[in-house]
Amino acid sequence: MTRNTRDFDTWLGQFKPVIASYDYYVDFDKAIANTEKWRSELHLMNSLLGSKSIESDFLALVKKYPDVLNVVPTLIAVRATEVPIYEVGMLTKFQFGGKKKSNRPQDYADFMRSTGLFELMESHYITNLLDYVMGVEVGLDSNGRKNRGGHLMENLVEGYLRTAGLACRNSEGRKIIDGNPQEVGVYYKELYTSTMQSFWGIDLSEITNSGTVEKRFDFVVRTAKGLFGIETNFYSGGGSKLNETSRSYKEMAQESERIPGFQFVWVTDGGGWKSARNNLRETFEIMDTIYNLNELEEGTFKRLFVQ
C-alpha cells in the first residue's frame, strides 16, 4: 500500500452533510401495518374517549374484551408486552401481551391513571385512537433511521459498483450463488471472512487474528487484480465511535498489506467526520484506498476494479 498522495483537507471538504432520500425519514408502510394490527382493539378503546366515568367503563371493557390491553403499551410509545414500573421500594411488572394477563384489572386501571392515559382520553385531546396510534408509530419509526441510514450508504455504493460494470453474484440471503471462484468482474454483498477463505482459498488470518475473529465486509469485489473487501459508512453526527472506527480501519489497512491478492477498501463520508478529523487523517495518510462519495461519482470504482 502506497502513502496517500491526495490532500486530506481538500478530500474532507468534499464530504456531504446528508445522503437522506425521500423514504429515509418515515417508513409509512411499516407505520400503517403496525397501526392496522390493533384496529379492532383501538375501535373498542375509542368508546372510552370523553367518558365521564372512565375507570369503571375501562374495567367493564377489559372484563368483556381483555385483548384490548394488548394495545396499551403502544399508547405510551413502548414496543413491549411487559412494562416495568419502579416506585420507591417496589418494582411492578405489568403484563399486557398474551391471552392470560398476570395483573388484576384494577392494576391496569391504576396504570392507565398513573401514566396519564385516562386524562388524555377523558379530556378530548384526541378524538380517534387509530389516528393517535398512527402518530405514535410514525414517531417510533424515527428510531429506524439509523438502520436506514446505513442501508442508504450501502445502496449508494452498490449503485457505483454496478455503474462500474460489476455484476452481483449473491442473493438477498447473502449466500454465494453461481459458485465460480475464478469469475472476475463481479461483487458479493455481506460476506464473512470464513466464507471468503473457503470459496477462494485465500488466507485471511492477518485480519481475523489467526481465525479467532469473524469479519464481515459490506461488499467483496473479485477482479483480475484479486479480491477487494469493502467497508462503507456515513456519519452525519460526531461521537467517540468515529475515532474507534478510524483506528480499527487503520489497523485493517495495515494488516491487509500482508495478504497477497487482497486489498481493503473503505468508503466513508458525512459531516460527522469534521469532529474526528485528526483520527481520520491518520488513516487517510497510510491508506490510498479510502474514498468519499464524490470520488465514486467521478468513476473511482471503474479505475480501481476495471481498468
Side-chain angles (χ1 to χ4, degrees):
M1 182 176 295
T2 59
R3 185 178 176 85
N4 206 326
T5 58
R6 293 166 290 171
D7 179 72
F8 175 76
D9 291 322
T10 300
W11 180 75
L12 186 64
Q14 297 169 340
F15 278 29
K16 303 179 187 303
V18 294
I19 54 171
S21 58
Y22 287 111
D23 57 0
Y24 164 75
Y25 294 99
V26 178
D27 183 345
F28 281 110
D29 289 338
K30 178 182 174 183
I32 291 170
N34 286 341
T35 303
E36 282 295 317
K37 72 181 181 181
W38 301 121
R39 176 175 284 274
S40 297
E41 290 83 356
L42 291 170
H43 277 313
L44 289 168
M45 291 283 276
N46 271 339
S47 64
L48 301 176
L49 297 180
S51 171
K52 301 300 183 183
S53 52
I54 194 167
E55 183 168 318
S56 59
D57 289 344
F58 171 79
L59 290 170
L61 182 65
V62 168
K63 182 178 180 179
K64 189 171 184 180
Y65 303 105
D67 282 352
V68 297
L69 289 172
N70 295 344
V71 77
V72 171
T74 302
L75 298 180
I76 57 170
V78 171
R79 292 204 191 284
T81 58
E82 183 180 89
V83 179
I85 298 293
Y86 180 78
E87 297 176 289
V88 178
M90 182 174 63
L91 175 66
T92 304
K93 296 180 180 180
F94 291 87
Q95 179 62 45
F96 291 99
K99 293 292 184 182
K100 188 176 180 180
K101 306 297 187 290
S102 59
N103 305 84
R104 298 176 302 124
Q106 185 59 49
D107 294 334
Y108 293 112
D110 294 341
F111 180 93
M112 297 287 287
R113 177 68 68 189
S114 298
T115 57
L117 285 172
F118 274 167
E119 181 181 358
L120 183 72
M121 298 166 77
E122 285 175 308
S123 55
H124 299 283
Y125 286 134
I126 52 178
T127 58
N128 188 311
L129 284 172
L130 199 69
D131 294 340
Y132 168 81
V133 167
M134 180 62 183
V136 169
E137 287 294 340
V138 168
L140 288 173
D141 185 66
S142 65
N143 294 327
R145 289 177 188 166
K146 182 178 180 181
N147 290 332
R148 288 197 292 271
H151 289 304
L152 281 175
M153 188 63 172
E154 290 179 14
N155 292 342
L156 284 171
V157 171
E158 183 172 8
Y160 290 117
L161 289 171
R162 290 182 179 276
T163 299
L166 303 173
C168 183
R169 283 292 182 266
N170 66 332
S171 67
E172 287 304 311
R174 308 302 191 238
K175 293 182 179 179
I176 292 181
I177 59 174
D178 298 342
N180 177 10
Q182 302 306 316
E183 186 179 17
V184 297
V186 295
Y187 72 91
Y188 302 80
K189 296 186 282 189
E190 297 185 7
L191 286 192
Y192 286 91
T193 47
S194 58
T195 301
M196 296 167 65
Q197 290 183 128
S198 62
F199 189 64
W200 286 289
I202 188 171
D203 182 5
L204 299 175
S205 58
E206 290 287 348
I207 61 175
T208 63
N209 193 24
S210 299
T212 61
V213 176
E214 181 80 294
K215 168 66 184 171
R216 192 201 75 177
F217 290 100
D218 292 330
F219 300 97
V220 174
V221 173
R222 173 85 162 95
T223 77
K225 304 174 186 178
L227 281 178
F228 297 81
I230 304 176
E231 281 291 289
T232 70
N233 42 52
F234 184 94
Y235 295 107
S236 56
S240 59
K241 180 175 175 59
L242 281 76
N243 291 327
E244 178 185 333
T245 299
S246 186
R247 285 192 295 267
S248 173
Y249 288 175
K250 179 183 177 181
E251 291 178 6
M252 175 82 70
Q254 293 170 326
E255 293 163 349
S256 297
E257 286 185 298
R258 300 190 289 268
I259 304 175
F262 177 79
Q263 276 190 277
F264 174 51
V265 177
W266 182 17
V267 181
T268 193
D269 213 304
W273 280 114
K274 302 294 175 67
S275 65
R277 60 188 298 134
N278 292 333
N279 285 77
L280 184 61
R281 184 193 293 271
E282 290 182 11
T283 306
F284 178 87
E285 288 179 348
I286 63 97
M287 184 178 183
D288 60 352
T289 52
I290 179 173
Y291 304 107
N292 60 31
L293 288 173
N294 184 70
E295 290 170 307
L296 301 196
E297 293 168 5
E298 294 176 347
T300 287
F301 277 172
K302 189 167 186 178
R303 292 190 294 272
L304 182 63
F305 300 133
V306 180
Q307 295 177 353

